[in-house]
Amino acid sequence: LELFKSSQIITKNKNIVLTRIQLLIQIMTQNAKESVWAISKSNIPFFRSGISPGKEEGTKWVQVDGIIDQLSVSRSGTVWAIMHDKLVYRAGVTPNKEEGTAWTTLTHNFSAAHVGAGGNCLWVCDAEGNLNVRTGMGKSSRLGSGWTTVPTPSNATGITDIAITAADDVFVLTDNNHLYKREGVTASCPEGVAWTKVALPKTGGSGFLGLGAAPAVIQIAGGYQHLWAVTESQEVWRTPFEGIIQERSWDRIPGQKMAFVCPSMCDSEITWGVNNRDQIFVRTSPHTGRYEWLRQGTIMFRMVSVGVVMDYSAQDSRPGLSRSHSQNWDSAAQQQSSQR
């Protein structure tokens, strides 16, 4: 949507300045819910059933057919995956049939190595380190119509990770441990126009003082309001992705160390993670105001992805989430209401 071109817009009727994320939440309906998929150590895909408002952790893991190398659940309801160098998607996924029906290959002429999915964008890194962006994606075509190649950032010979936020902001982590944001990504220009280098967190406590050298980052993930990062020492960091990201913008998340994380697309605090012992956790708040990592099941996993699953057969097919918002969102909404 062209509405998301700038980081802030003004609504026509109420003249209220809203971020892209806040507007996105406002237009969402109730025909969708959060979707969590994970891959086991033996590359078997699972999805988390029973996720509902007040039950963010769900109830159990359900195995799905196939052997998957990597996956990414989009904000528009599609589960994308890499299967033996092929890019596939899960057909038939709905809120009432979260496991879908079958893996289907999407036509491409490259060897797929890593996929990152957003609401109206799909980025794939191939085996040669090139970035391929799906064109023609939108409400009328969830799968898109073609491919275009985006040059990698200068001085980078390869891409190690792709992160796409709830607002379709695209970040990449390069093989020389640099972080870049792709500027100008919109529904009509999914490939964007230029790369901007972004500061990484630095060691030395909270991150505010910026002491020490930047640690090697091994994974990044985009969420509802933040960009998340995991360092080689399994420390978890996050920063707001709106505006300029500086070293002091990053905050370290206390508690359990993680080897892989993926945050919620509709709550700034809830995050799923896998530690270096292949145990999976969700960071949630069973007690008001206190967030902690809680283990979910005994299956050994190596990665997890969080997105949204939708019912496109509903009368109103706009993206929606069937869950309550975080206290952060409620506070922001109350502040806006008091300014009207």
Side-chain angles (χ1 to χ4, degrees):
L1 294 175
E2 293 301 319
L3 289 172
F4 299 126
K5 226 172 185 182
S6 62
S7 63
Q8 291 186 328
I9 69 166
I10 298 179
T11 56
K12 293 181 179 179
N13 297 330
K14 299 185 182 295
N15 198 38
I16 304 170
V17 177
L18 302 174
T19 66
R20 286 177 291 177
I21 298 300
Q22 291 167 338
L23 177 65
L24 179 62
I25 296 298
Q26 283 192 337
I27 66 174
M28 285 181 173
T29 59
Q30 296 300 310
N31 61 334
K33 64 178 180 178
E34 197 156 75
S35 178
V36 177
W37 285 61
I39 300 178
S40 72
K41 284 190 65 177
S42 53
N43 288 5
I44 297 174
F46 290 78
F47 75 90
R48 189 70 174 175
S49 68
I51 294 177
S52 62
K55 189 71 174 176
E56 293 84 1
E57 71 277 15
T59 55
K60 66 177 181 178
W61 293 105
V62 179
Q63 183 176 334
V64 179
D65 64 279
I67 299 296
I68 298 297
D69 298 314
Q70 186 252 335
L71 60 78
S72 180
V73 186
S74 79
R75 185 176 47 77
S76 58
T78 307
V79 180
W80 298 92
I82 305 297
M83 179 185 287
H84 309 303
D85 301 330
K86 301 294 183 183
L87 176 66
V88 300
Y89 65 92
R90 190 68 180 175
V93 175
T94 68
N96 295 323
K97 191 175 179 59
E98 295 180 69
E99 71 275 20
T101 55
W103 294 108
T104 304
T105 302
L106 187 69
T107 302
H108 55 89
N109 59 1
F110 51 83
S111 179
H114 190 93
V115 59
N120 286 309
C121 64
L122 180 71
W123 287 57
V124 182
C125 182
D126 62 31
E128 286 71 42
N130 303 310
L131 288 168
N132 304 272
V133 180
R134 189 67 172 169
T135 58
M137 296 185 72
K139 186 175 179 180
S140 60
S141 178
R142 293 165 55 201
L143 302 179
S145 56
W147 293 99
T148 187
T149 302
V150 173
T152 56
S154 60
N155 301 321
T157 58
I159 303 298
T160 59
D161 206 359
I162 303 170
I164 303 181
T165 71
D168 279 356
D169 290 307
V170 179
F171 295 84
V172 298
L173 185 66
T174 63
D175 54 358
N176 54 353
N177 196 41
H178 292 303
L179 180 63
Y180 291 86
K181 178 182 178 180
R182 189 65 177 174
E183 302 292 350
V185 174
T186 65
S188 60
C189 184
E191 69 274 19
V193 296
W195 292 109
T196 299
K197 191 175 180 180
V198 175
L200 286 169
K202 284 196 173 182
T203 57
S206 67
F208 178 78
L209 296 178
L211 301 176
V217 173
I218 60 174
Q219 189 244 333
I220 55 174
Y224 168 73
Q225 289 179 328
H226 298 89
L227 177 68
W228 294 65
V230 177
T231 68
E232 59 185 356
S233 58
Q234 284 89 51
E235 288 186 339
V236 180
W237 298 74
R238 72 175 183 183
T239 178
F241 56 74
E242 291 290 348
I244 299 175
I245 298 177
Q246 301 176 331
E247 293 170 359
R248 65 173 181 266
S249 302
W250 292 89
D251 290 315
R252 186 167 59 86
I253 302 300
Q256 182 77 234
K257 288 190 173 184
M258 292 291 160
F260 192 101
V261 297
C262 191
S264 165
M265 284 293 176
C266 56
D267 190 297
S268 62
E269 298 295 339
I270 295 174
T271 305
W272 289 78
V274 178
N275 67 12
N276 59 3
R277 295 184 297 278
D278 306 311
Q279 300 167 331
I280 197 164
F281 295 78
V282 62
R283 181 177 182 267
T284 186
S285 178
H287 310 291
T288 303
R290 181 179 134 195
Y291 284 84
E292 57 186 300
W293 293 99
L294 302 176
R295 189 177 177 186
Q296 302 300 314
T298 58
I299 300 173
M300 298 290 101
F301 288 104
R302 62 179 182 81
M303 73 155 294
V304 60
S305 181
V306 185
V308 179
V309 60
M310 301 181 189
D311 183 4
Y312 282 89
S313 64
Q315 185 176 6
D316 183 354
S317 59
R318 292 176 298 167
L321 299 174
S322 60
R323 57 170 298 155
S324 57
H325 304 305
S326 67
Q327 291 180 343
N328 289 350
W329 163 250
D330 292 338
S331 298
Q334 290 172 5
Q335 290 176 358
Q336 289 172 356
S337 177
S338 64
Q339 296 171 355
R340 297 177 186 176

